[in-house]
Amino acid sequence: FFERILVILQGNTSKPGPAFHERYSKLLLQLTYESVAAGDVSTMLYEPVLNSLALLLTPVGPDYQYSRKNAIEIILMLMKDDQNKKPLAANERLLTELVNFCSNMTSGEQKEQVKQVILKLIPEL
């Protein structure tokens, strides 16, 4: 399921409008809430999910603010459990996009959150 959704997400990165990004980020956010509540987030650490989060962080511009916010919230939820930090740090694509996100943002709460995420993930490399 997540592999196929990732392919669709990749195919929709160049199309105008953030509609697919918003819907998918909302779905991932809901699945993460449910996984955390159930005490099993292993599905959310699956490589296609992490690669999807990286793609959701990639677009820069106000149209993608909602999906980026959801991606950051998902990562923050996953990082509450120290065991999840290593798989997050091991995904090079996600780590690269977190760094790119900080480089592209001038300031703000999201940039500060992502900087903290990076600082917590680096020791896991």
Side-chain angles (χ1 to χ4, degrees), residues 5-62:
I5 292 292
L6 177 60
V7 169
I8 294 168
L9 183 63
Q10 289 169 327
N12 281 278
T13 55
S14 62
K15 294 182 179 174
F20 188 80
H21 287 248
E22 286 181 20
R23 290 182 190 121
Y24 186 56
S25 70
K26 189 175 180 179
L27 172 64
L28 278 181
L29 184 60
Q30 185 62 40
L31 290 173
T32 304
Y33 279 131
E34 291 177 17
S35 296
V36 167
D40 182 14
V41 296
S42 60
T43 301
M44 304 317 295
L45 297 170
Y46 187 48
E47 187 174 355
V49 174
L50 298 179
N51 288 339
S52 293
L53 290 172
L55 274 173
L56 292 171
L57 288 170
T58 302
V60 176

Side-chain angles (χ1 to χ4, degrees), residues 7-114:
V7 169
I8 294 168
L9 183 63
Q10 289 169 327
N12 281 278
T13 55
S14 62
K15 294 182 179 174
F20 188 80
H21 287 248
E22 286 181 20
R23 290 182 190 121
Y24 186 56
S25 70
K26 189 175 180 179
L27 172 64
L28 278 181
L29 184 60
Q30 185 62 40
L31 290 173
T32 304
Y33 279 131
E34 291 177 17
S35 296
V36 167
D40 182 14
V41 296
S42 60
T43 301
M44 304 317 295
L45 297 170
Y46 187 48
E47 187 174 355
V49 174
L50 298 179
N51 288 339
S52 293
L53 290 172
L55 274 173
L56 292 171
L57 288 170
T58 302
V60 176
D63 290 344
Y64 293 92
Q65 183 176 4
Y66 182 77
S67 55
R68 285 193 315 264
K69 177 186 165 292
N70 285 343
I72 293 167
E73 189 172 342
I74 291 165
I75 294 166
L76 290 171
M77 267 195 289
L78 293 173
M79 288 187 59
K80 287 181 180 178
D81 185 342
D82 287 338
Q83 292 180 357
N84 299 336
K85 291 178 185 175
K86 190 164 188 78
L88 289 166
N91 188 290
E92 188 175 320
R93 192 173 185 180
L94 179 61
L95 201 53
T96 298
E97 289 308 323
L98 287 166
V99 171
N100 288 340
F101 180 89
C102 279
S103 297
N104 292 327
M105 298 296 286
T106 55
S107 63
E109 181 182 349
Q110 285 182 333
K111 181 174 183 165
E112 291 305 315
Q113 288 175 323
V114 171

